[in-house]
Amino acid sequence: AQTVTQSQPEMSVQEAETVTLSCTYDTSESDYYLFWYKQPPSRQMILVIRQEAYKQQNATENRFSVNFQKAAKSFSLKISDSQLGDAAMYFCAYRSLSNSGTYKYIFGTGTRLKVLA
Amino acid sequence: DSGVTQTPKHLITATGQRVTLRCSPRSGDLSVYWYQQSLDQGLQFLIHYYNGEERAKGNILERFSAQQFPDLHSELNLSSLELGDSALYFCASSVDGDSPLHFGNGTRLTVT
């Protein structure tokens, strides 16, 4: 069974600095998707970025980028020029094909990011 | 706005009662997923429906049930409620292709 591990329960970063959140996963599949979701204090779940496993190029969305290491099964999120609005819980998620032919999503336990002014 | 609508936003009820949470997926999305998030916890997968059929079950209690209707909206029924059922319940939808999960804003259930 696939698993997703976020080993950092909490991280802090100074405003305008860069921070990297870690995520590792375990799978025997070769084709899958990985996601980072953000949950601010409002508790909404907001998609930050996604990565297709077959793409070697790391995904980038403005100040957010990933370091995808397929062989190491690592999928870290880098936030550049951190802003106060980046303070949130960040969840890493893995999507795979289930036995029933549809997709299942497995979420990590989350990393709480604090941004210091 | 994700396009996924959940109602009600808040629900306060007493132990032993039954409630129904409703979810309307994004237009065109056939899959609906339900998740439970207790205070400061991660997301616990409850159940997945695809085009009206149950496709996967997670850690869903026997007191909980769900269904997806022909118009693709879904309802999560929680009965014999206990204090520990207090949580944020999310619905998410996807097309099951390249689309990621799109979450609703959640229903916050408080059992007193």
Side-chain angles (χ1 to χ4, degrees), chain A residues 84-97:
Chain A
L84 295 177
D86 295 333
M89 182 75 91
Y90 287 81
F91 292 98
C92 177
Y94 172 99
R95 189 192 84 173
S96 73
L97 199 60

Side-chain angles (χ1 to χ4, degrees), chain B residues 47-64:
Chain B
I47 200 163
H48 169 212
Y49 277 85
Y50 178 81
N51 201 23
E53 293 184 7
E54 181 186 304
R55 286 301 182 97
K57 265 187 175 180
N59 299 321
I60 189 167
L61 300 171
E62 286 191 10
R63 301 183 285 109
F64 296 1

Side-chain angles (χ1 to χ4, degrees), chain A:
Chain A
Q2 296 86 5
T3 58
V4 175
T5 301
Q6 292 180 250
S7 59
Q8 306 153 316
E10 191 171 293
M11 294 279 287
S12 296
V13 63
Q14 207 70 35
E15 198 176 3
E17 296 296 309
T18 296
V19 65
T20 299
L21 309 183
S22 300
C23 173
T24 58
Y25 58 95
D26 188 25
T27 185
S28 57
E29 298 176 329
S30 58
D31 186 19
Y32 50 87
Y33 279 73
L34 295 161
F35 307 89
W36 279 98
Y37 282 88
K38 169 185 176 181
Q39 187 178 41
S42 66
R43 305 297 293 273
Q44 280 182 286
M45 289 289 289
I46 302 165
L47 177 67
V48 175
I49 200 166
R50 68 177 174 181
Q51 175 79 42
E52 295 92 327
Y54 63 87
K55 287 188 177 179
Q56 292 187 342
Q57 186 173 6
N58 290 323
T60 300
E61 288 286 342
N62 300 314
R63 297 182 296 107
F64 298 87
S65 61
V66 298
N67 183 5
F68 174 49
Q69 303 284 334
K70 191 172 183 180
K73 296 178 184 174
S74 171
F75 181 61
S76 59
L77 175 69
K78 185 171 86 171
I79 306 174
S80 304
D81 185 26
S82 296
Q83 301 175 359
L84 295 177
D86 295 333
M89 182 75 91
Y90 287 81
F91 292 98
C92 177
Y94 172 99
R95 189 192 84 173
S96 73
L97 199 60
S98 73
N99 292 336
S100 59
T102 55
Y103 293 104
K104 61 179 180 179
Y105 295 79
I106 300 148
F107 286 83
T109 51
T111 295
R112 184 175 301 282
L113 178 67
K114 294 184 176 181
V115 181
L116 309 173

